[in-house]
Short mmCIF file of all heavy atoms in Angstrom, two decimals:
data_model
loop_
_atom_site.label_atom_id
_atom_site.label_comp_id
_atom_site.label_asym_id
_atom_site.label_seq_id
_atom_site.Cartn_x
_atom_site.Cartn_y
_atom_site.Cartn_z
N ALA A 370 -38.34 -14.84 -34.26
CA ALA A 370 -37.91 -14.87 -35.66
C ALA A 370 -38.41 -16.14 -36.35
O ALA A 370 -38.90 -16.09 -37.48
CB ALA A 370 -36.38 -14.81 -35.72
N HIS A 371 -38.32 -17.25 -35.66
CA HIS A 371 -38.74 -18.52 -36.25
C HIS A 371 -40.23 -18.51 -36.53
O HIS A 371 -40.69 -18.91 -37.61
CB HIS A 371 -38.38 -19.67 -35.31
CG HIS A 371 -38.81 -20.99 -35.82
ND1 HIS A 371 -39.57 -21.86 -35.08
CD2 HIS A 371 -38.61 -21.58 -37.02
CE1 HIS A 371 -39.82 -22.92 -35.81
NE2 HIS A 371 -39.23 -22.77 -36.99
N ASN A 374 -40.80 -16.27 -39.45
CA ASN A 374 -40.24 -16.75 -40.72
C ASN A 374 -41.21 -17.65 -41.48
O ASN A 374 -41.29 -17.56 -42.71
CB ASN A 374 -38.94 -17.50 -40.46
CG ASN A 374 -37.76 -16.56 -40.43
OD1 ASN A 374 -37.90 -15.39 -40.79
ND2 ASN A 374 -36.61 -17.05 -40.00
N ASN A 375 -41.95 -18.49 -40.78
CA ASN A 375 -42.85 -19.42 -41.47
C ASN A 375 -43.98 -18.70 -42.21
O ASN A 375 -44.12 -18.90 -43.42
CB ASN A 375 -43.38 -20.46 -40.50
CG ASN A 375 -42.39 -21.60 -40.33
OD1 ASN A 375 -41.66 -21.94 -41.28
ND2 ASN A 375 -42.30 -22.17 -39.15
N PRO A 376 -44.78 -17.85 -41.54
CA PRO A 376 -45.80 -17.12 -42.30
C PRO A 376 -45.19 -16.22 -43.37
O PRO A 376 -45.77 -16.06 -44.45
CB PRO A 376 -46.52 -16.29 -41.25
CG PRO A 376 -45.75 -16.38 -40.01
CD PRO A 376 -44.91 -17.60 -40.10
N MET A 377 -43.99 -15.69 -43.05
CA MET A 377 -43.31 -14.83 -44.02
C MET A 377 -43.01 -15.61 -45.29
O MET A 377 -43.12 -15.10 -46.40
CB MET A 377 -42.00 -14.39 -43.37
CG MET A 377 -41.57 -12.98 -43.55
SD MET A 377 -42.84 -11.84 -43.71
CE MET A 377 -42.53 -10.95 -42.29
N ALA A 378 -42.60 -16.88 -45.08
CA ALA A 378 -42.27 -17.74 -46.21
C ALA A 378 -43.52 -17.97 -47.07
O ALA A 378 -43.44 -17.99 -48.30
CB ALA A 378 -41.71 -19.06 -45.70
N ILE A 379 -44.67 -18.13 -46.39
CA ILE A 379 -45.90 -18.35 -47.15
C ILE A 379 -46.24 -17.10 -47.97
O ILE A 379 -46.51 -17.19 -49.17
CB ILE A 379 -47.06 -18.72 -46.19
CG1 ILE A 379 -46.74 -20.06 -45.51
CG2 ILE A 379 -48.38 -18.78 -46.95
CD1 ILE A 379 -47.65 -20.41 -44.36
N ASN A 381 -44.20 -14.87 -48.97
CA ASN A 381 -43.19 -14.79 -50.02
C ASN A 381 -43.55 -15.68 -51.21
O ASN A 381 -43.51 -15.25 -52.36
CB ASN A 381 -41.85 -15.18 -49.43
CG ASN A 381 -40.69 -14.92 -50.37
OD1 ASN A 381 -40.63 -13.86 -50.98
ND2 ASN A 381 -39.81 -15.90 -50.50
N GLU A 382 -43.92 -16.92 -50.88
CA GLU A 382 -44.22 -17.87 -51.97
C GLU A 382 -45.49 -17.48 -52.71
O GLU A 382 -45.56 -17.57 -53.93
CB GLU A 382 -44.33 -19.30 -51.42
CG GLU A 382 -43.05 -19.86 -50.83
CD GLU A 382 -41.83 -19.61 -51.70
OE1 GLU A 382 -41.93 -19.69 -52.95
OE2 GLU A 382 -40.74 -19.31 -51.14
N LYS A 383 -46.51 -17.04 -51.92
CA LYS A 383 -47.77 -16.65 -52.57
C LYS A 383 -47.53 -15.47 -53.50
O LYS A 383 -47.96 -15.47 -54.65
CB LYS A 383 -48.83 -16.24 -51.51
CG LYS A 383 -49.22 -17.36 -50.58
CD LYS A 383 -50.23 -18.30 -51.21
CE LYS A 383 -50.55 -19.44 -50.22
NZ LYS A 383 -51.18 -20.57 -50.90
N ALA A 384 -46.83 -14.46 -52.99
CA ALA A 384 -46.56 -13.29 -53.82
C ALA A 384 -45.71 -13.69 -55.01
O ALA A 384 -45.93 -13.20 -56.13
CB ALA A 384 -45.84 -12.24 -52.98
N GLY A 385 -44.75 -14.59 -54.75
CA GLY A 385 -43.88 -15.07 -55.82
C GLY A 385 -44.69 -15.76 -56.90
O GLY A 385 -44.49 -15.54 -58.10
N LEU A 386 -45.65 -16.59 -56.45
CA LEU A 386 -46.47 -17.32 -57.42
C LEU A 386 -47.33 -16.35 -58.24
O LEU A 386 -47.47 -16.49 -59.45
CB LEU A 386 -47.35 -18.34 -56.68
CG LEU A 386 -48.24 -19.22 -57.56
CD1 LEU A 386 -47.41 -20.03 -58.57
CD2 LEU A 386 -49.08 -20.17 -56.71
N ASP A 389 -45.17 -14.88 -60.68
CA ASP A 389 -44.88 -15.87 -61.74
C ASP A 389 -46.05 -15.95 -62.71
O ASP A 389 -45.86 -15.88 -63.93
CB ASP A 389 -44.68 -17.26 -61.10
CG ASP A 389 -43.35 -17.35 -60.37
OD1 ASP A 389 -42.54 -16.37 -60.48
OD2 ASP A 389 -43.10 -18.35 -59.66
N LEU A 390 -47.26 -16.06 -62.13
CA LEU A 390 -48.44 -16.23 -62.97
C LEU A 390 -48.62 -15.03 -63.89
O LEU A 390 -48.90 -15.18 -65.08
CB LEU A 390 -49.69 -16.43 -62.10
CG LEU A 390 -49.72 -17.76 -61.33
CD1 LEU A 390 -50.92 -17.82 -60.39
CD2 LEU A 390 -49.76 -18.96 -62.29
N GLU A 392 -46.33 -12.95 -64.85
CA GLU A 392 -45.22 -12.89 -65.80
C GLU A 392 -45.42 -13.87 -66.95
O GLU A 392 -45.17 -13.56 -68.11
CB GLU A 392 -43.91 -13.18 -65.08
CG GLU A 392 -43.24 -11.93 -64.59
CD GLU A 392 -41.89 -12.21 -63.93
OE1 GLU A 392 -41.62 -13.38 -63.60
OE2 GLU A 392 -41.13 -11.23 -63.72
N TYR A 393 -45.91 -15.11 -66.56
CA TYR A 393 -46.06 -16.14 -67.60
C TYR A 393 -47.27 -15.89 -68.49
O TYR A 393 -47.34 -16.38 -69.59
CB TYR A 393 -46.17 -17.53 -66.94
CG TYR A 393 -44.82 -18.05 -66.46
CD1 TYR A 393 -44.35 -17.78 -65.19
CD2 TYR A 393 -43.99 -18.81 -67.32
CE1 TYR A 393 -43.13 -18.23 -64.75
CE2 TYR A 393 -42.76 -19.25 -66.87
CZ TYR A 393 -42.32 -18.97 -65.60
OH TYR A 393 -41.11 -19.41 -65.18
N ILE A 411 -42.80 -8.61 -52.11
CA ILE A 411 -41.57 -9.42 -51.97
C ILE A 411 -40.46 -8.59 -51.30
O ILE A 411 -39.73 -9.07 -50.44
CB ILE A 411 -41.12 -9.99 -53.34
CG1 ILE A 411 -42.13 -11.07 -53.77
CG2 ILE A 411 -39.72 -10.60 -53.27
CD1 ILE A 411 -42.03 -11.48 -55.22
N VAL A 414 -41.14 -8.43 -47.68
CA VAL A 414 -40.75 -9.70 -47.07
C VAL A 414 -39.22 -9.74 -46.89
O VAL A 414 -38.72 -10.15 -45.84
CB VAL A 414 -41.23 -10.89 -47.94
CG1 VAL A 414 -40.59 -12.19 -47.49
CG2 VAL A 414 -42.75 -11.00 -47.89
N GLU A 415 -38.52 -9.23 -47.92
CA GLU A 415 -37.05 -9.19 -47.82
C GLU A 415 -36.59 -8.38 -46.61
O GLU A 415 -35.67 -8.76 -45.89
CB GLU A 415 -36.44 -8.57 -49.10
CG GLU A 415 -36.29 -9.54 -50.27
CD GLU A 415 -35.29 -10.66 -49.97
OE1 GLU A 415 -34.23 -10.37 -49.38
OE2 GLU A 415 -35.60 -11.83 -50.30
N LYS A 418 -37.19 -10.27 -43.63
CA LYS A 418 -36.22 -11.37 -43.57
C LYS A 418 -34.86 -10.87 -43.05
O LYS A 418 -34.22 -11.54 -42.24
CB LYS A 418 -36.06 -11.93 -44.99
CG LYS A 418 -35.09 -13.07 -45.11
CD LYS A 418 -34.99 -13.49 -46.55
CE LYS A 418 -33.75 -14.33 -46.77
NZ LYS A 418 -33.67 -14.75 -48.18
N THR A 421 -35.27 -10.68 -39.32
CA THR A 421 -35.32 -11.97 -38.63
C THR A 421 -33.99 -12.72 -38.76
O THR A 421 -33.54 -13.38 -37.82
CB THR A 421 -36.47 -12.86 -39.14
OG1 THR A 421 -36.33 -13.00 -40.54
CG2 THR A 421 -37.82 -12.30 -38.78
N HIS A 422 -33.34 -12.56 -39.91
CA HIS A 422 -32.05 -13.23 -40.08
C HIS A 422 -31.02 -12.68 -39.11
O HIS A 422 -30.24 -13.42 -38.53
CB HIS A 422 -31.56 -13.07 -41.52
CG HIS A 422 -32.20 -14.07 -42.43
ND1 HIS A 422 -31.60 -14.56 -43.57
CD2 HIS A 422 -33.41 -14.67 -42.38
CE1 HIS A 422 -32.40 -15.42 -44.16
NE2 HIS A 422 -33.53 -15.49 -43.46
N LEU A 425 -31.79 -13.95 -35.70
CA LEU A 425 -31.34 -15.34 -35.53
C LEU A 425 -29.82 -15.41 -35.48
O LEU A 425 -29.25 -16.19 -34.72
CB LEU A 425 -31.89 -16.20 -36.67
CG LEU A 425 -33.36 -16.57 -36.46
CD1 LEU A 425 -33.97 -17.07 -37.75
CD2 LEU A 425 -33.51 -17.61 -35.36
N ARG A 429 -27.71 -17.07 -32.72
CA ARG A 429 -27.10 -18.31 -33.17
C ARG A 429 -25.95 -18.75 -32.28
O ARG A 429 -25.14 -17.96 -31.83
CB ARG A 429 -26.57 -18.08 -34.59
CG ARG A 429 -26.47 -19.35 -35.38
CD ARG A 429 -26.54 -19.08 -36.85
NE ARG A 429 -25.88 -17.85 -37.24
CZ ARG A 429 -26.22 -17.18 -38.34
NH1 ARG A 429 -27.19 -17.60 -39.11
NH2 ARG A 429 -25.58 -16.08 -38.65
N MET A 431 -23.68 -20.99 -33.21
CA MET A 431 -23.01 -21.95 -34.10
C MET A 431 -21.57 -22.16 -33.68
O MET A 431 -21.00 -21.38 -32.95
CB MET A 431 -23.10 -21.45 -35.52
CG MET A 431 -22.40 -20.14 -35.72
SD MET A 431 -22.67 -19.61 -37.38
CE MET A 431 -21.92 -18.02 -37.36
N GLU A 432 -21.00 -23.21 -34.19
CA GLU A 432 -19.63 -23.53 -33.85
C GLU A 432 -18.69 -22.53 -34.49
O GLU A 432 -18.92 -22.06 -35.59
CB GLU A 432 -19.28 -24.92 -34.40
CG GLU A 432 -19.80 -26.04 -33.54
CD GLU A 432 -19.54 -27.36 -34.21
OE1 GLU A 432 -18.37 -27.67 -34.46
OE2 GLU A 432 -20.52 -28.07 -34.49
N ASP B 25 -42.65 -30.39 -46.05
CA ASP B 25 -42.93 -29.30 -45.11
C ASP B 25 -44.35 -29.48 -44.59
O ASP B 25 -45.24 -29.88 -45.34
CB ASP B 25 -42.82 -27.95 -45.81
CG ASP B 25 -42.64 -26.81 -44.83
OD1 ASP B 25 -43.46 -26.69 -43.88
OD2 ASP B 25 -41.66 -26.04 -44.97
N GLU B 27 -46.28 -27.14 -43.56
CA GLU B 27 -47.12 -26.00 -43.97
C GLU B 27 -47.63 -26.27 -45.38
O GLU B 27 -46.90 -26.11 -46.36
CB GLU B 27 -46.28 -24.71 -43.95
CG GLU B 27 -45.95 -24.19 -42.58
CD GLU B 27 -47.07 -23.35 -41.97
OE1 GLU B 27 -48.12 -23.15 -42.61
OE2 GLU B 27 -46.87 -22.92 -40.81
N ASP B 29 -49.82 -24.70 -47.24
CA ASP B 29 -49.84 -23.51 -48.09
C ASP B 29 -48.50 -23.24 -48.72
O ASP B 29 -48.39 -22.93 -49.89
CB ASP B 29 -50.21 -22.29 -47.23
CG ASP B 29 -51.63 -21.85 -47.50
OD1 ASP B 29 -52.26 -22.45 -48.39
OD2 ASP B 29 -52.09 -20.92 -46.81
N PHE B 30 -47.49 -23.38 -47.89
CA PHE B 30 -46.13 -23.10 -48.34
C PHE B 30 -45.68 -24.11 -49.37
O PHE B 30 -45.22 -23.77 -50.46
CB PHE B 30 -45.20 -23.09 -47.13
CG PHE B 30 -43.75 -22.94 -47.49
CD1 PHE B 30 -43.24 -21.71 -47.89
CD2 PHE B 30 -42.89 -24.04 -47.46
CE1 PHE B 30 -41.92 -21.58 -48.24
CE2 PHE B 30 -41.56 -23.91 -47.81
CZ PHE B 30 -41.07 -22.67 -48.20
N ASN B 32 -47.31 -26.24 -51.20
CA ASN B 32 -48.02 -26.28 -52.48
C ASN B 32 -47.65 -25.11 -53.37
O ASN B 32 -47.45 -25.28 -54.59
CB ASN B 32 -49.53 -26.28 -52.23
CG ASN B 32 -49.99 -27.63 -51.67
OD1 ASN B 32 -49.23 -28.61 -51.73
ND2 ASN B 32 -51.18 -27.68 -51.10
N THR B 33 -47.55 -23.95 -52.76
CA THR B 33 -47.22 -22.76 -53.56
C THR B 33 -45.83 -22.88 -54.16
O THR B 33 -45.62 -22.60 -55.34
CB THR B 33 -47.30 -21.50 -52.68
OG1 THR B 33 -48.47 -21.56 -51.88
CG2 THR B 33 -47.31 -20.25 -53.52
N LEU B 34 -44.89 -23.32 -53.29
CA LEU B 34 -43.52 -23.47 -53.78
C LEU B 34 -43.46 -24.53 -54.88
O LEU B 34 -42.79 -24.33 -55.91
CB LEU B 34 -42.59 -23.85 -52.61
CG LEU B 34 -41.11 -23.95 -52.94
CD1 LEU B 34 -40.60 -22.62 -53.50
CD2 LEU B 34 -40.30 -24.34 -51.70
N GLU B 36 -45.79 -25.32 -56.94
CA GLU B 36 -46.37 -24.78 -58.17
C GLU B 36 -45.37 -23.88 -58.90
O GLU B 36 -45.23 -23.93 -60.12
CB GLU B 36 -47.62 -23.99 -57.80
CG GLU B 36 -48.56 -23.83 -58.99
CD GLU B 36 -49.86 -23.14 -58.59
OE1 GLU B 36 -50.23 -23.19 -57.39
OE2 GLU B 36 -50.49 -22.55 -59.48
N ARG B 37 -44.65 -23.07 -58.10
CA ARG B 37 -43.68 -22.16 -58.71
C ARG B 37 -42.54 -22.95 -59.37
O ARG B 37 -42.05 -22.57 -60.43
CB ARG B 37 -43.09 -21.23 -57.64
CG ARG B 37 -44.11 -20.28 -57.09
CD ARG B 37 -43.45 -19.30 -56.15
NE ARG B 37 -42.73 -18.26 -56.89
CZ ARG B 37 -41.87 -17.41 -56.34
NH1 ARG B 37 -41.61 -17.51 -55.04
NH2 ARG B 37 -41.28 -16.49 -57.06
N LEU B 38 -42.12 -24.04 -58.68
CA LEU B 38 -41.02 -24.84 -59.26
C LEU B 38 -41.50 -25.54 -60.53
O LEU B 38 -40.76 -25.63 -61.51
CB LEU B 38 -40.51 -25.86 -58.24
CG LEU B 38 -39.70 -25.29 -57.08
CD1 LEU B 38 -39.40 -26.36 -56.03
CD2 LEU B 38 -38.39 -24.69 -57.59
N LEU B 40 -43.78 -24.44 -62.52
CA LEU B 40 -43.81 -23.41 -63.56
C LEU B 40 -42.45 -23.27 -64.23
O LEU B 40 -42.34 -22.92 -65.39
CB LEU B 40 -44.18 -22.07 -62.96
CG LEU B 40 -45.66 -21.72 -62.86
CD1 LEU B 40 -45.86 -20.40 -62.13
CD2 LEU B 40 -46.29 -21.64 -64.25
N ARG B 41 -41.39 -23.57 -63.45
CA ARG B 41 -40.04 -23.46 -63.99
C ARG B 41 -39.54 -24.80 -64.54
O ARG B 41 -38.34 -24.97 -64.78
CB ARG B 41 -39.10 -22.96 -62.88
CG ARG B 41 -39.28 -21.48 -62.63
CD ARG B 41 -38.67 -21.05 -61.33
NE ARG B 41 -38.75 -19.61 -61.12
CZ ARG B 41 -39.85 -18.96 -60.74
NH1 ARG B 41 -40.98 -19.64 -60.53
NH2 ARG B 41 -39.83 -17.65 -60.58
N ASP B 69 -37.97 -29.54 -44.45
CA ASP B 69 -38.17 -28.65 -43.28
C ASP B 69 -37.68 -29.38 -42.03
O ASP B 69 -37.65 -30.60 -41.99
CB ASP B 69 -39.66 -28.30 -43.15
CG ASP B 69 -39.92 -27.27 -42.08
OD1 ASP B 69 -38.95 -26.57 -41.68
OD2 ASP B 69 -41.08 -27.15 -41.63
N LEU B 71 -38.74 -28.55 -38.55
CA LEU B 71 -39.75 -28.69 -37.50
C LEU B 71 -41.06 -29.20 -38.08
O LEU B 71 -41.76 -28.49 -38.79
CB LEU B 71 -39.99 -27.34 -36.82
CG LEU B 71 -38.89 -26.88 -35.85
CD1 LEU B 71 -39.21 -25.51 -35.32
CD2 LEU B 71 -38.71 -27.88 -34.71
N SER B 97 -35.58 -24.02 -43.34
CA SER B 97 -36.33 -23.90 -42.10
C SER B 97 -36.36 -22.45 -41.65
O SER B 97 -35.60 -21.61 -42.12
CB SER B 97 -35.67 -24.78 -41.02
OG SER B 97 -36.21 -24.48 -39.78
N GLY B 98 -37.26 -22.19 -40.72
CA GLY B 98 -37.34 -20.85 -40.14
C GLY B 98 -36.31 -20.64 -39.03
O GLY B 98 -36.13 -19.55 -38.54
N ARG B 99 -35.65 -21.72 -38.68
CA ARG B 99 -34.65 -21.62 -37.63
C ARG B 99 -33.34 -21.03 -38.14
O ARG B 99 -33.11 -20.98 -39.35
CB ARG B 99 -34.36 -23.01 -37.07
CG ARG B 99 -34.88 -23.19 -35.66
CD ARG B 99 -34.82 -24.62 -35.27
NE ARG B 99 -33.42 -25.06 -35.13
CZ ARG B 99 -33.11 -26.25 -34.67
NH1 ARG B 99 -34.06 -27.11 -34.33
NH2 ARG B 99 -31.86 -26.62 -34.57
N GLY B 100 -32.54 -20.59 -37.21
CA GLY B 100 -31.29 -19.91 -37.56
C GLY B 100 -30.37 -20.76 -38.42
O GLY B 100 -30.11 -20.46 -39.57
N SER B 101 -29.88 -21.85 -37.86
CA SER B 101 -28.98 -22.70 -38.63
C SER B 101 -29.04 -24.08 -38.01
O SER B 101 -29.65 -24.29 -36.99
CB SER B 101 -27.55 -22.17 -38.56
OG SER B 101 -27.04 -22.44 -37.28
N ALA B 103 -26.29 -26.96 -37.24
CA ALA B 103 -25.00 -27.63 -37.29
C ALA B 103 -25.22 -29.14 -37.30
O ALA B 103 -24.49 -29.87 -37.99
CB ALA B 103 -24.18 -27.24 -36.07
N GLN B 107 -23.97 -31.92 -39.97
CA GLN B 107 -23.21 -33.10 -39.54
C GLN B 107 -23.84 -34.38 -40.05
O GLN B 107 -23.16 -35.35 -40.36
CB GLN B 107 -23.15 -33.15 -38.01
CG GLN B 107 -21.97 -32.38 -37.45
CD GLN B 107 -22.03 -32.24 -35.95
OE1 GLN B 107 -22.96 -32.73 -35.31
NE2 GLN B 107 -21.05 -31.57 -35.40
N MET B 115 -32.53 -20.51 -45.08
CA MET B 115 -33.49 -20.04 -44.09
C MET B 115 -34.70 -19.44 -44.78
O MET B 115 -34.58 -18.73 -45.78
CB MET B 115 -32.82 -19.01 -43.19
CG MET B 115 -33.51 -18.86 -41.88
SD MET B 115 -32.48 -17.99 -40.72
CE MET B 115 -33.02 -16.35 -41.01
N LYS B 116 -35.85 -19.74 -44.22
CA LYS B 116 -37.11 -19.17 -44.74
C LYS B 116 -37.18 -17.70 -44.34
O LYS B 116 -36.71 -17.37 -43.26
CB LYS B 116 -38.30 -19.90 -44.12
CG LYS B 116 -38.57 -21.28 -44.67
CD LYS B 116 -39.82 -21.78 -43.96
CE LYS B 116 -40.10 -23.24 -44.25
NZ LYS B 116 -41.19 -23.74 -43.40
N PRO B 117 -37.83 -16.83 -45.06
CA PRO B 117 -38.31 -17.03 -46.44
C PRO B 117 -37.13 -17.00 -47.41
O PRO B 117 -36.21 -16.25 -47.21
CB PRO B 117 -39.23 -15.84 -46.66
CG PRO B 117 -38.87 -14.83 -45.64
CD PRO B 117 -38.12 -15.50 -44.56
N VAL B 118 -37.29 -17.85 -48.47
CA VAL B 118 -36.14 -17.98 -49.37
C VAL B 118 -36.49 -17.40 -50.74
O VAL B 118 -37.64 -17.45 -51.18
CB VAL B 118 -35.71 -19.46 -49.46
CG1 VAL B 118 -36.73 -20.30 -50.21
CG2 VAL B 118 -34.33 -19.62 -50.08
N ASN B 119 -35.49 -16.82 -51.34
CA ASN B 119 -35.65 -16.31 -52.70
C ASN B 119 -35.61 -17.51 -53.64
O ASN B 119 -34.70 -18.34 -53.55
CB ASN B 119 -34.50 -15.34 -52.98
CG ASN B 119 -34.59 -14.72 -54.34
OD1 ASN B 119 -34.71 -15.41 -55.36
ND2 ASN B 119 -34.55 -13.40 -54.35
N ILE B 120 -36.60 -17.61 -54.53
CA ILE B 120 -36.71 -18.83 -55.36
C ILE B 120 -35.50 -19.04 -56.25
O ILE B 120 -35.03 -20.16 -56.45
CB ILE B 120 -38.03 -18.82 -56.17
CG1 ILE B 120 -38.24 -20.22 -56.81
CG2 ILE B 120 -38.03 -17.75 -57.25
CD1 ILE B 120 -39.62 -20.73 -56.68
N GLU B 122 -32.46 -18.23 -55.55
CA GLU B 122 -31.37 -18.75 -54.73
C GLU B 122 -31.57 -20.24 -54.47
O GLU B 122 -30.62 -21.03 -54.53
CB GLU B 122 -31.36 -17.99 -53.39
CG GLU B 122 -30.10 -18.21 -52.59
CD GLU B 122 -30.21 -17.64 -51.18
OE1 GLU B 122 -31.06 -16.74 -50.95
OE2 GLU B 122 -29.47 -18.12 -50.30
#
Side-chain angles (χ1 to χ4, degrees):
Chain A
H371 178 233
N374 273 349
N375 277 328
M377 221 31 116
I379 296 169
N381 189 45
E382 295 314 322
K383 297 280 178 197
L386 182 58
D389 287 353
L390 292 174
E392 268 183 345
Y393 284 90
I411 290 166
V414 168
E415 278 295 318
K418 179 182 163 179
T421 55
H422 278 209
L425 282 164
R429 205 155 36 205
M431 62 184 175
E432 281 174 59
Chain B
D25 199 307
E27 287 276 0
D29 254 356
F30 174 75
N32 288 346
T33 316
L34 184 58
E36 201 175 336
R37 293 186 77 193
L38 288 172
L40 271 175
R41 284 164 176 78
D69 187 18
L71 284 177
S97 169
R99 250 169 69 173
S101 73
Q107 272 171 0
M115 202 166 92
K116 285 182 189 172
V118 70
N119 182 306
I120 191 136
E122 193 190 339

